[in-house]
Amino acid sequence: MDLNYWIFRRTFWLHEARQWIQQLEPGQGCNLLKVLKHVLTMKDLNSLVVIVGSCPDQTFEILSDYAQQHMLGRKLQTHAVTYDCSNPASLVQYTKSIQR
């Protein structure tokens, strides 16, 4: 394949991702465990960006245990973006749980 094809494909993928993100709407609650269960089954995943607008519904211990068990031996870059959360202490714990 030539370079122009790959540039086109990458641009198309970025456009699709941008459209999907723009369609997201905030919901009630933050079931982060459900999200982790879904994405951590992806074998080719090499980076994960989590954006949440509230504190997770699960405890730090549950999230941390699950993340540790399913990220063991993987080189998975994780990034967390939080906003609009009323409990700063929970944000610190949440960030630590997915960065382990």
Side-chain angles (χ1 to χ4, degrees):
M1 302 279 164
D2 67 348
L3 182 60
N4 288 334
Y5 171 79
W6 289 111
I7 292 172
F8 170 76
R9 291 299 302 164
R10 183 162 292 176
T11 304
F12 179 75
W13 292 327
L14 288 173
H15 179 69
E16 277 187 333
R18 186 178 300 120
Q19 283 183 321
W20 179 76
I21 289 169
Q22 289 174 343
Q23 293 174 5
L24 295 176
E25 294 182 19
Q28 304 293 66
C30 177
N31 191 347
L32 184 56
L33 184 60
K34 182 178 179 180
V35 171
L36 290 177
K37 284 181 178 181
H38 177 74
V39 299
L40 292 179
T41 61
M42 299 175 183
K43 299 289 183 208
D44 296 332
L45 189 67
N46 61 9
S47 61
L48 174 64
V49 177
V50 179
I51 303 171
V52 295
S54 63
C55 295
D57 295 340
Q58 296 82 18
T59 65
F60 164 73
E61 290 80 15
I62 290 172
L63 294 172
S64 180
D65 287 346
Y66 188 84
Q68 285 178 3
Q69 290 172 13
H70 290 82
M71 292 170 63
L72 190 63
R74 293 175 73 175
K75 293 185 180 192
L76 181 62
Q77 254 185 14
T78 57
H79 305 277
V81 178
T82 59
Y83 64 94
D84 213 18
C85 183
S86 60
N87 187 348
S90 294
L91 293 179
V92 171
Q93 290 181 342
Y94 158 71
T95 303
K96 287 179 183 177
S97 73
I98 66 164
Q99 290 182 339
R100 290 186 178 193

